[in-house]
Amino acid sequence: MLTKTIQLYPDRPDVTLTTYVLADSPELLNGKPRPAVLVCPGGAYLSCSDREAEPVALRFAAMGYHAFVLRYSTYNNGKPGRFPFAGELAVNPNSLYPAPLRDIGKAFLTIRASAKKWRVDVDKIAICGFSAGGHNCAMYSVYWQDPILSEFFGKDPALFRPAAAILAYAICDYRLMFGEISDPFAQALSDAASIAYMGTKTPSPELLETLSPALHVSTDTPPTFLWATAGDALVPV
C-alpha cells in the first residue's frame, strides 16, 4: 500500500490528501484499475475527526478500494483539540464556504492527475462524508458541475464528477439547524459551526437555502446512500 500525505495548496499546510493506494500484482488485479473512495471526516467545520479518517479508509481498503482521506478547510486550520466555545468567535476566512467544497474538487483533480500511476478507475470515484464532512460531500454532489468549481480551477466540469456518495449523519437541510435547541452544548456547537462555515450565527434565508443540498438535487446528483441514527441529538434525522 502506498500511503503518503499530499499538501493540496502551496500556502495551506492544513489542507491535505492522504493516500491509501493498494499495491497490485499478477495475483490481484494484474494492472486493472480499482474504484476509489474519498473520505471527508466530520468535525463541525471546526476540525477534522481522526476517528472518521484513517479507520474508515482502511475499512474501504480492506474491501478492495483505493482510499483517500481529505482534510479540508476548517476553522482550526487543521489543528485538533476542543471546540472553541469560549467567547465570541472571530471569523476565519479560510474555512468559509465555498472553500471546503472546492477542496473536494482539488482532491478529485489530484487523484485524476496520478490515476494511471495509482491504477484508479476515474469513472468510479465515490465520496464518503460524516456529519460536517457529510454535508460537504452532499454539497459537492449537487454542485460538482457548477462554475463555482470549473471556473475557479479552469477545468472541464466532467473532471469533478463523483460516481456515488455515502452520507453519514449529514446536514442535508441547513434550515433545520436553526430551530429551537434545548441542549446548551448542541446550541454552542451549532453557533460555532455556523461561524466557521458561514461567518455568522444568523445566516440569511437565502444563504441557508444555498447551503441546503437537499433542495438542489437534480439528475446530475450521483446515486447516494444516506444513513443516520435516531438518537442523534445534533443533526436532525
Side-chain angles (χ1 to χ4, degrees):
M1 178 184 288
L2 172 65
T3 304
K4 66 176 182 177
T5 298
I6 302 167
Q7 184 174 315
L8 293 185
Y9 308 107
D11 59 338
R12 294 287 304 280
D14 56 310
V15 181
T16 62
L17 182 71
T18 301
T19 72
Y20 299 84
V21 173
L22 296 172
D24 193 28
S25 83
E27 297 179 25
L28 298 172
L29 296 186
N30 197 26
K32 182 181 177 181
R34 293 177 184 266
V37 180
L38 176 67
V39 178
C40 289
Y45 287 112
L46 299 169
S47 61
C48 284
S49 167
D50 290 330
R51 69 180 180 179
E52 294 163 346
E54 185 170 84
V56 178
L58 292 177
R59 182 67 173 177
F60 278 119
M63 294 189 290
Y65 295 88
H66 294 311
F68 301 87
V69 171
L70 173 63
R71 294 189 178 272
Y72 50 90
S73 299
T74 59
Y75 186 87
N76 288 339
N77 295 318
K79 298 176 182 177
R82 297 184 303 117
F83 293 135
F85 292 152
E88 189 69 21
L89 298 183
V91 173
N92 179 357
N94 285 342
S95 65
L96 297 179
Y97 167 79
L101 172 67
R102 286 174 172 161
D103 295 342
I104 299 181
K106 180 65 172 176
F108 262 71
L109 295 177
T110 303
I111 294 169
R112 280 181 167 273
S114 295
K116 186 174 181 180
K117 177 175 62 177
W118 293 340
R119 296 185 177 90
V120 175
D121 186 339
V122 295
D123 294 322
K124 294 182 179 179
I125 304 174
I127 49 179
C128 175
F130 300 81
S131 194
H135 174 260
N136 200 17
C137 286
M139 288 287 289
Y140 190 82
S141 291
V142 299
Y143 287 118
W144 65 265
Q145 78 284 14
D146 195 88
I148 202 170
L149 290 169
S150 57
E151 289 187 2
F152 181 79
F153 289 108
K155 299 291 185 180
D156 185 334
L159 298 177
F160 301 99
R161 179 191 293 271
I166 303 167
L167 308 180
Y169 38 95
I171 299 170
C172 293
D173 188 340
Y174 239 119
R175 299 172 304 174
L176 302 178
M177 298 298 292
F178 288 86
E180 183 177 340
I181 302 176
S182 58
D183 184 339
F185 173 82
Q187 183 64 67
L189 181 59
S190 178
D191 289 346
S194 298
I195 293 171
Y197 188 61
M198 294 177 264
T200 176
K201 292 190 291 187
T202 55
S204 67
E206 293 76 18
L207 181 57
L208 290 179
E209 182 173 329
T210 297
L211 303 183
S212 296
L215 306 181
H216 305 284
V217 174
S218 72
T219 54
D220 289 324
T221 306
T224 303
F225 180 82
L226 299 133
W227 71 272
T229 64
D232 193 335
L234 297 176
V235 179
V237 174

